[in-house]
Amino acid sequence: MNNNKGTILIAEDNLSNMKLLKDILGFQGYKIIEAYDGKTALELTRQNKDVIDLILMDLQLPEMDGIEVIKLIKSDDSTKKLPVVVISAHAMEIDMKRALKAGCNNYITKPINVESFIEKINAFFRHNTKL
Ligand code: MN
């Protein structure tokens, strides 16, 4: 696998979900920054804003929920261009609307389909779009 295809920050408090995402994306050659709560996700985003290519955000997180983290990322000039894709079990339309209103760029529902997930992420990096 390629090395250093890009850097992805994953905000996910569920250990097995984090391991799955980390394993899948790590195997694909992405560098992963892990955050297990919302506050840490925000801090690590700010600290690593120059190297992060994509943020994968769970919505239900301890310390600060994902919606709040997205709002703060998207209201800060130095981080607002970072693409945020919500990965959440909350497939309900209202949660999607809240996430989109907060500024998230896209939405993937859990449980993820591994093949289509990899394809989405690779396509994102291939096209080098900021969504
Ligand atoms: Mn969660």
Side-chain angles (χ1 to χ4, degrees):
M1 288 294 131
N2 297 341
N3 275 323
N4 211 13
K5 275 167 81 173
T7 299
I8 302 175
L9 182 141
I10 305 174
E12 169 63 80
D13 60 321
N14 180 286
L15 296 184
S16 55
N17 285 345
M18 175 67 94
K19 186 180 186 318
L20 176 67
L21 293 172
K22 212 172 62 172
D23 287 352
I24 292 171
L25 296 171
F27 186 75
Q28 291 292 312
Y30 297 104
K31 183 171 186 287
I32 305 302
I33 299 171
E34 298 162 61
Y36 291 87
D37 66 74
K39 267 190 180 172
T40 305
L42 185 62
E43 282 171 18
L44 290 177
T45 297
R46 288 174 172 161
Q47 283 168 25
N48 297 283
K49 60 182 184 294
D50 297 329
V51 297
I52 290 172
D53 299 295
L54 176 65
I55 297 168
L56 298 179
M57 181 76 62
D58 182 22
L59 288 185
Q60 273 205 325
L61 292 168
E63 304 295 329
M64 185 186 290
D65 79 24
I67 298 281
E68 192 58 31
V69 179
I70 294 168
K71 280 183 190 164
L72 290 168
I73 289 171
K74 293 298 184 178
S75 63
D76 181 337
D77 280 344
S78 71
T79 54
K80 68 182 179 190
K81 285 193 176 142
L82 297 174
V84 179
V85 173
V86 164
I87 300 191
S88 177
H90 298 256
M92 285 165 59
E93 200 180 349
I94 185 141
D95 291 308
M96 184 147 84
K97 279 186 180 158
R98 284 177 69 224
L100 290 169
K101 200 175 166 200
C104 93
N105 303 82
N106 215 329
Y107 200 100
I108 295 171
T109 53
K110 287 188 283 203
I112 60 163
N113 173 294
V114 173
E115 268 182 41
S116 75
F117 176 73
I118 290 170
E119 181 44 41
K120 273 180 197 166
I121 299 296
N122 284 338
F124 169 81
F125 278 90
R126 231 179 4 251
H127 300 135
N128 194 27
T129 95
K130 288 292 181 188
L131 287 174

